Amino acid sequence: MTIKLLGSRFRPAKGIDQGILDNHRELVDSINRRGILRGSLTLGALTMLTGCELGHDGSIQTALRAVSEFNDDVQAALFRPDHLAPTYSVDQVVKPPHFNAFYDPEDVRPVEASSWKLELSGRIADKTPWTVAKMYDLPETEIIIKHICVEGWDYIGQWSGPSFKLFLEKIGADTKAKYIAFKCADDYTGSIDMATALHPQTILATKYAGQPIADPYGFPLRLRTATKLGYKNPKWITAIEVTNVKPGGYWEDRGFNWFGGI
Ligand SMILES: Nc1nc2c(c(=O)[nH]1)N[C@H]1C(S)=C(S)[C@@H](COP(=O)(O)O)O[C@H]1N2
Ligand SMILES: [Mo]
């Protein structure tokens, strides 16, 4: 069940009839030609990006058209800072979390708590690096949210840790700056816009289902935001920069949409 989009896979999410996509082949092809959708994008992701409930004839067309018109500035302008993404109940939480990275789980290089430091740079008043203990001292916010990866899977996870807004305030970050860039222990990089960083459902997660995040899932610190797709959530974060110069990221540099969210 795949449709070629710019040479990448376009896999319908579970429960979506391939026929619906086939019926809109012309539209999919026209979006393809215009080079707007790069990388693989699922209908689950489209649902998230556009807020349309897909699966009915017609809604797919609306959703694809909406995405085709998107660019980062438009998406940023449409972003509603107080609009909350759906949350779920504790009994829906998947344990352990689903693992994904640009390499296999066997190749994860665990981070040592004792040597880990969070480096801070850019438009930040107090750039003193943070330790794990200091991170765990901050009050926690919990979110039970759906993680959607563009490869075509999703899972509901229960994440807790300091709200990113609280953390940015603590370090004296310039919250009028435009972007936040992340570096990770595995050389993954990522970036988000400031509005997303300040969103109430964006946290620096230290725990999953009430326990410290285990190695394959990003110990000791990962970003979890309810308004972005999986690749916009860096794991094993080691450095945070606040900047007005638009940063890239591992997947963004390979053609994935920079905004990557709702
Ligand atoms: N450091 C790091 N962060 C990363 C990745 C990665 O390869 N390295 N992969 C991203 C992608 S594409 C996804 S879907 C999620 C996977 O998170 P999970 O292991 O909780 O499923 O992590 C994101 N963050
Ligand atoms: Mo992903």
Side-chain angles (χ1 to χ4, degrees), residues 100-101 147-153 188 229-232 251 256:
N100 190 47
H147 173 120
I148 302 172
C149 174
V150 293
E151 287 174 341
W153 50 268
Y188 191 81
L229 294 167
Y231 65 91
K232 301 295 287 184
W251 287 114
F256 277 55

Side-chain angles (χ1 to χ4, degrees), residues 98-102 147 149 153 155 159 184 186 188 217 222 230-231 233-236 251:
H98 190 296
F99 169 86
N100 190 47
F102 62 93
H147 173 120
C149 174
W153 50 268
Y155 73 94
W159 303 93
C184 307
D186 60 353
Y188 191 81
Y217 315 109
R222 65 174 290 170
Y231 65 91
N233 291 264
K235 305 192 276 189
W236 305 285
W251 287 114

Side-chain angles (χ1 to χ4, degrees), residues 14-30:
K14 254 192 247 136
I16 300 289
D17 184 1
Q18 177 73 41
I20 295 172
L21 287 174
D22 290 341
N23 290 343
H24 298 287
R25 167 72 55 192
E26 205 182 311
L27 179 67
V28 169
D29 286 348
S30 96

